[in-house]
Amino acid sequence: MSMIPSFFGNRRSSIFDPFSLDVWDPLKDFPFPSPSFPRDENSAFVNTRIDWKETPEAHVFKADLPGLRKEEVKVQIEDDRVLQISGERNVEKEDKNDTWHRVERSSGKFSRRFRLPENTKMNQVKASMENGVLTVTVPKEEAVKKPEVKSIEISG
């Protein structure tokens, strides 16, 4: 995974990461809408941040999804080793008697996709959600050990 620091927020970027399917938007961190990906202030978690780390045993993805229940989030694996994390936060119902002073929480759909390396056990993926943090663990196959070469002394 690419460990290139971002100029905004010191976050790791996936610009050059061959496993990331995200489309790079050079204007995404500016406060105005980008022409390459128009969005309004209340569009979904367009910038849903997901951390991906690799341990000796697994690839671990963590996504902050505050206010969502596990029933509102989908984790899917496609045949070509693509992990997709998606979901939707519904807009809060308005009551005609309510007066809104500020609306800052986003609502709508989000979707993030990651191409997994070949050394993953696709049939053993696990996901859990606790306190608004989704954790997806994708176990890795054990490294293939190189055959041990033993020299045999020739007699005679």
Side-chain angles (χ1 to χ4, degrees):
M1 186 169 110
S2 178
M3 298 298 283
I4 301 169
S6 171
F7 296 107
F8 305 100
N10 199 21
R11 299 284 303 189
R12 290 182 293 274
S13 175
S14 63
I15 297 170
F16 301 106
D17 185 354
F19 299 118
S20 177
L21 298 178
D22 294 336
V23 177
W24 180 56
D25 181 0
L27 304 176
K28 76 177 175 81
D29 290 312
F30 289 102
F32 53 85
S34 126
S36 61
F37 196 82
R39 49 183 149 324
D40 62 31
E41 194 171 302
N42 292 325
S43 68
F45 308 86
V46 174
N47 292 324
T48 298
R49 302 288 189 187
I50 298 179
D51 294 337
W52 176 4
K53 74 175 177 181
E54 182 176 355
T55 68
E57 300 81 29
H59 294 274
V60 180
F61 297 83
K62 288 195 176 212
D64 289 336
L65 303 172
L68 287 182
R69 297 183 319 272
K70 66 180 184 177
E71 296 81 23
E72 298 171 315
V73 178
K74 269 197 219 175
V75 178
Q76 299 171 309
I77 299 279
E78 297 175 7
D79 289 336
D80 52 348
R81 295 185 337 272
V82 174
L83 169 68
Q84 178 170 314
I85 300 171
S86 60
E88 181 173 8
R89 175 184 286 160
N90 295 320
V91 178
E92 193 170 319
K93 302 217 177 185
E94 292 187 33
D95 186 349
K96 292 182 181 182
N97 297 327
D98 292 343
T99 302
W100 290 87
H101 294 280
R102 183 175 290 274
V103 177
E104 293 183 347
R105 296 184 311 142
S106 59
S107 60
K109 296 180 180 183
F110 72 92
S111 180
R112 296 288 306 274
R113 296 166 51 96
F114 302 92
R115 182 168 308 282
L116 298 170
E118 290 185 25
N119 69 341
T120 55
K121 294 181 179 178
M122 303 300 288
N123 57 349
Q124 296 181 15
V125 176
K126 292 188 175 16
S128 64
M129 192 150 170
E130 187 175 336
N131 296 326
V133 178
L134 173 70
T135 302
V136 179
T137 304
V138 184
K140 291 171 32 179
E141 292 178 358
E142 296 168 11
V144 178
K145 293 184 179 180
K146 294 181 182 177
E148 190 175 314
V149 178
K150 183 177 180 181
S151 296
I152 309 296
E153 189 177 320
I154 302 173
S155 62

